Amino acid sequence: MNYRKLGRCGLKLSELSFGSWVTFNKQVDTGVAERMFGTCFDAGINFFDNAEGYESGGSEIVMGKALQALGRPRDSYCVSSKVFFGAAKDPAPTQVGLSRKHVTEACHQAMQRLQVEYLDLYFCHRADPDTPIGETVWAMHNLVTQGKVLYWGTSEWTAEEITEAHEFARENHLTAPSMEQPQYNLLDRERFEVEYAPLYEKYGMGTTTWSPLASGALTGKYLNGIPEDSRAALPGYEWLREHMVESERGQGRMQRVANLMPIAEELGVSLSKLAIAWCLLNGKVSTVILGASRLEQLEENLEALEVVPLLTDEIQAKLSLQSA
Ligand code: NDP
């Protein structure tokens, strides 16, 4: 495992990390999570991603129990949470968004569920048009000075919103965001590569990128329909099935996945490993957050590290052409 700096910060994260969206508390119970974390630690992974909104806080509870059970030194790994969507099933207006109140209370609640005394990384899961950016920057700055958060960041904010947060922090001598958490994979490149391009140097922005397999689309397993045991078949995720596979957009994306298959075959590797390895080629990526509903998937995905050296300039050009 290689370790990459989180942008300009001193923190070094494993280039592959592990997240729990959809999976923990739904497809993955505490026992399986424990085995998955064991595999992660053995591979050198040191960052685990979570959010208040995943399974209404249930995902953080499972992660907290599994990490406690493993008993690794707390200073040897990082955990995150994200605030915005809320953990309550029927949230009151004060239980969502990026107000000072919710940012502060969500941090305390996430620490309790994860059984930690501080969050290494804490993200604003989306921008909140109802809260002035300055109020959120102040709330994050206060959590940092209280030692409850070490690095704060954004997720899927526009370049303009990230710039506004930085400018406010600079003008008021506050802690600026250190990282963004955007989607980045062979099918979704525009924001990461184009919109954010000016921000990497200007602000030393680190990135913890999500959905390297586009929710599983880049495994190729949806090319012949929806497997019963897959994310797109889960009750409550009909929107994802529509978005990923069934809509006109989804069908276009499936065609792009089909076009990539022969390249994986030529290299003699699975498309999953190839797609994850491709994300690692970009030096602006601090860490690629993996997802897995089964231990075997995690084991396979970790082997992506062996595929990186196979991605010559010629292969990269083919991947860009066929995924476009
Ligand atoms: P992926 O795009 O890698 O999708 C993971 C899913 O794909 C798995 O749960 C599994 O689903 C399927 N899969 C993974 N590997 C294989 C394999 N080898 N063979 C077959 N199927 C496979 O990542 P995620 O979408 O899960 O995102 C990763 C993490 O990023 C999340 O856990 C979360 O921490 C973060 N994230 C952040 C977001 C944000 O807004 N900030 C949004 C989304 C994710 P199944 O078996 O059920 O089909």
Side-chain angles (χ1 to χ4, degrees):
M1 183 68 69
N2 294 309
Y3 296 84
R4 299 186 182 189
K5 268 162 61 78
L6 182 66
R8 205 177 279 152
C9 302
L11 186 68
K12 288 182 184 134
L13 296 180
S14 48
E15 60 187 358
L16 293 180
S17 47
F18 187 48
S20 60
W21 179 53
V22 184
T23 54
F24 279 31
N25 203 44
K26 197 170 191 80
Q27 299 162 299
V28 171
D29 62 17
T30 307
V32 176
E34 222 181 292
R35 292 211 295 283
M36 287 174 154
F37 285 142
T39 300
C40 286
F41 282 123
D42 288 349
I45 283 181
N46 72 359
F47 169 45
F48 304 103
D49 186 61
N50 219 318
E52 62 167 357
Y54 296 171
E55 282 289 295
S56 304
S59 172
E60 290 174 328
I61 292 172
V62 168
M63 187 174 273
K65 282 186 191 159
L67 285 172
Q68 275 296 314
L70 285 171
R72 298 282 174 141
R74 178 66 183 91
D75 57 356
S76 66
Y77 62 87
C78 299
V79 292
S80 74
S81 184
K82 308 186 200 84
V83 54
F84 176 76
F85 291 106
K89 289 210 164 97
D90 184 15
T94 53
Q95 292 178 314
V96 291
L98 297 180
S99 66
R100 178 179 294 119
K101 180 171 173 68
H102 186 58
V103 166
T104 307
E105 284 172 349
C107 173
H108 295 159
Q109 290 160 6
M111 289 193 292
Q112 274 184 351
R113 288 188 294 258
L114 286 162
Q115 303 187 48
V116 294
E117 288 174 356
Y118 61 92
L119 299 173
D120 299 273
L121 287 81
Y122 191 37
F123 296 89
C124 298
H125 210 157
R126 292 292 180 268
D128 178 2
D130 293 338
T131 304
I133 279 187
E135 179 174 337
T136 304
V137 175
W138 262 114
M140 284 294 186
H141 172 80
N142 287 341
L143 290 171
V144 170
T145 56
Q146 290 164 11
K148 292 171 185 166
V149 168
L150 304 189
Y151 302 90
W152 81 272
T154 57
S155 180
E156 294 293 348
W157 283 29
T158 63
E160 196 182 337
E161 288 159 345
I162 295 170
T163 301
E164 211 183 315
H166 274 274
E167 293 308 314
F168 185 89
R170 192 180 54 79
E171 282 160 19
N172 294 278
H173 308 287
L174 303 175
T175 312
S178 299
M179 67 281 176
E180 225 296 322
Q181 183 166 134
Q183 184 172 22
Y184 187 52
N185 57 55
L186 270 163
L187 301 179
D188 301 282
R189 301 174 56 166
E190 175 80 11
R191 171 164 269 181
F192 190 94
E193 294 181 0
V194 181
E195 183 183 340
Y196 289 163
L199 306 184
Y200 298 116
E201 288 308 317
K202 191 166 180 197
Y203 299 126
M205 186 172 91
T207 60
T208 62
T209 61
W210 58 268
S211 286
L213 298 176
S215 260
L218 281 162
T219 62
K221 69 182 178 183
Y222 294 106
L223 289 177
N224 298 310
I226 315 271
E228 265 176 34
D229 59 353
S230 66
R231 179 178 289 184
L234 288 173
Y237 288 85
E238 292 78 12
W239 61 272
L240 186 68
R241 183 172 71 228
E242 168 75 13
H243 184 73
M244 259 174 93
V245 191
E246 291 174 349
S247 61
E248 201 177 316
R249 172 188 179 273
Q251 286 300 304
R253 285 162 74 84
M254 286 303 135
Q255 185 53 55
R256 292 157 69 196
V257 173
N259 295 344
L260 289 167
M261 274 299 194
I263 309 175
E265 280 159 20
E266 180 189 332
L267 293 175
V269 300
S270 68
L271 185 59
S272 313
K273 290 192 227 178
L274 177 62
I276 294 166
W278 176 87
C279 298
L280 289 168
L281 293 172
N282 191 324
K284 302 291 186 255
V285 170
S286 310
T287 183
V288 173
I289 312 175
L290 302 175
S293 67
R294 287 190 275 285
L295 187 58
E296 310 82 70
Q297 293 176 353
L298 177 62
E299 287 164 349
E300 179 188 348
N301 297 348
L302 285 167
E303 287 169 10
L305 294 174
E306 295 157 22
V307 175
V308 179
L310 307 181
L311 303 185
T312 58
D313 290 349
E314 191 192 338
I315 296 288
Q316 289 179 44
K318 277 193 201 174
L319 288 169
S320 288
L321 187 69
Q322 296 304 333
S323 62

